[in-house]
Amino acid sequence: VQLQASGGGLVQAGGSLRLACVGSGLDFSTYAMAWFRQAPGKDREFVAAITRTGSTVYYADALKGRFAISRENTINAMYLEMSSLRPEDTALYYCGKYRWTSYYSGSRSASDFDYWGQGTLVTVSS
């Protein structure tokens, strides 16, 4: 299994970015997927998740309304649209695959995700 994250970069506060995560070596459509982020000196934190079909999405409460997660199973891809970015959004953003193919009920624990992309750096300047 490989997950490749991309799309990070340097953006001014108030700007937007779109992250992408492409999976290979797995039946992508059978797994829920998620984005987490890790800022320097902090633990990895949940950002957003999406069920296998994309019918249900979950967000960290503080990010609702600014971030949007989506997926396109035909090309094994997942996306994170980020808008109204703030300096506190600066972090390495990781995509992760849910550990099981069973129903995903919105777990926000990183330990429930077993494969991770390499991370893509988002830097928001003030």
Side-chain angles (χ1 to χ4, degrees):
V1 175
Q2 287 192 327
L3 300 174
Q4 181 73 37
S6 62
L10 174 63
V11 63
Q12 289 189 329
S16 301
L17 279 175
R18 186 194 199 208
L19 306 184
C21 174
V22 176
S24 60
L26 76 162
D27 190 352
F28 190 80
S29 66
T30 65
Y31 294 96
M33 300 289 295
W35 290 98
F36 284 71
R37 68 185 184 184
Q38 188 165 16
K42 294 189 176 181
D43 293 335
R44 190 170 296 193
E45 66 172 355
F46 174 82
V47 172
I50 188 166
T51 55
R52 292 169 290 183
T53 62
S55 60
T56 305
V57 296
Y58 302 86
Y59 295 99
D61 290 343
L63 301 178
K64 284 181 184 176
R66 296 196 298 122
F67 288 17
I69 189 172
S70 62
R71 66 189 295 164
E72 190 170 352
N73 286 339
T74 57
I75 57 171
N76 287 4
M78 175 180 67
Y79 306 99
L80 186 69
E81 299 270 4
M82 305 184 295
S83 61
S84 302
L85 283 164
R86 304 168 182 170
E88 54 263 40
D89 295 318
T90 294
L92 266 171
Y93 283 71
Y94 296 90
C95 56
K97 165 195 159 292
Y98 190 56
R99 190 177 295 275
W100 301 280
T101 57
S102 56
Y103 173 75
Y104 173 72
S105 59
S107 169
R108 301 176 183 212
S109 172
S111 63
D112 285 339
F113 295 82
D114 59 352
Y115 284 92
W116 299 92
Q118 82 286 6
T120 184
L121 181 62
V122 172
T123 304
V124 185
S125 63
S126 57

